[in-house]
């Protein structure tokens, strides 16, 4: 399922990989989920999101930090 996420996480994901909603706004969350459910390209967006977040796992971050020591 594609990512529906509140706005502060733009340093990792973008409009090509997530459906955004305003924090603390249940109606906007519903809008984001509806947008994801109705988007024929949702599978592609989810694939892009998964590939983008791979560099932000604990394991990936630890590898990066250790490589700099």
């Amino acid at each position: 399922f594609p990512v529906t996420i509140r706005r502060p996480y733009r340093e990792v994901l973008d409009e090509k990989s997530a459906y955004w909603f305003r924090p603390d706004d249940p109606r906007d969350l519903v809008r984001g989920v509806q947008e994801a459910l109705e988007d024929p390209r949702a599978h592609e967006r989810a694939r892009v999101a998964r590939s983008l977040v791979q560099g932000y796992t604990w394991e990936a971050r630890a590898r990066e930090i250790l490589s700099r020591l």
Side-chain angles (χ1 to χ4, degrees):
F1 191 81
V3 177
T4 303
I5 192 164
R6 32 188 235 137
R7 298 208 186 272
Y9 296 98
R10 292 192 184 271
E11 65 272 7
V12 178
L13 300 173
D14 60 18
E15 282 75 18
K16 295 177 184 171
S17 58
Y19 300 89
W20 298 92
F21 67 93
R22 288 184 302 280
D24 303 319
D25 186 341
R27 286 192 172 132
D28 202 41
L29 170 59
V30 169
R31 182 209 46 78
V33 171
Q34 285 175 331
E35 182 182 354
L37 291 172
E38 295 170 359
D39 186 353
R41 296 167 301 162
H43 242 56
E44 178 61 19
R45 265 185 156 171
R47 188 192 63 72
V48 170
R50 276 190 300 277
S51 69
L52 288 172
V53 299
Q54 291 306 307
Y56 292 90
T57 64
W58 283 106
E59 184 178 324
R61 300 301 297 152
R63 258 195 320 271
E64 184 177 333
I65 291 167
L66 292 174
S67 74
R68 296 173 187 254
L69 296 179

